[in-house]
Amino acid sequence: QAQLVESGGGLVQAGGSLRLSCAASGLTFSNSAMGWFRQVPGEDQEFVAGMSWSGGTTYIDSVKGRFTTYRDNAKNTVYLQMNSLKPEDTGVYYCGLYVGRFAPPTGPTDYDYWGQGTQVTVSS
């Protein structure tokens, strides 16, 4: 059964760090694009970062220089390293996989598979 399993969320003080993991089973990231989205109550999912099938990365302006997404092909896992966290980074973070050799879409409806989501809470 193809699925993505997320882990690594939690509660952290502003300025702290967290690393989110997105492990794939029955799927592979090597021929797919992936994206990280976050959602806060009452709002739509927001694209945060993504990686193309070839490994190129993209980030929204508010997280550039603080967040890094990278892939471990041997573990079939993608990570989102989040440093210098701010209260406005709070939300449920989802990883998504878009099958095909493309750049990561910024719209959530394009994705084929989703992780279950993990809560990130940054206190001030």
Side-chain angles (χ1 to χ4, degrees):
Q1 181 180 357
Q3 62 177 350
L4 301 175
V5 178
E6 296 185 52
S7 59
L11 172 64
V12 64
Q13 289 187 330
S17 297
L18 285 172
R19 189 180 74 164
L20 307 184
S21 300
C22 178
S25 61
L27 299 165
T28 178
F29 288 113
S30 60
N31 288 309
S32 303
M34 61 79 53
W36 291 95
F37 289 75
R38 67 185 172 202
Q39 188 169 29
V40 297
E43 297 185 12
D44 294 334
Q45 284 182 310
E46 174 190 28
F47 176 84
V48 174
M51 177 179 288
S52 72
W53 69 275
S54 60
T57 56
T58 185
Y59 304 91
I60 58 172
D61 287 346
S62 63
V63 307
K64 283 181 181 177
R66 300 189 298 120
F67 289 13
T68 303
T69 187
Y70 59 98
R71 186 172 70 201
D72 185 333
N73 287 335
K75 295 183 178 180
N76 213 21
T77 300
V78 175
Y79 301 93
L80 183 66
Q81 177 67 46
M82 305 185 295
N83 299 327
S84 302
L85 282 161
K86 303 176 181 180
E88 52 263 43
D89 295 321
T90 294
V92 178
Y93 282 71
Y94 297 89
C95 64
L97 185 146
Y98 177 56
V99 178
R101 296 188 172 190
F102 303 105
T106 57
T109 57
D110 290 322
Y111 285 77
D112 301 293
Y113 298 92
W114 287 99
Q116 81 279 14
T118 186
Q119 177 71 46
V120 171
T121 304
V122 184
S123 62
S124 57

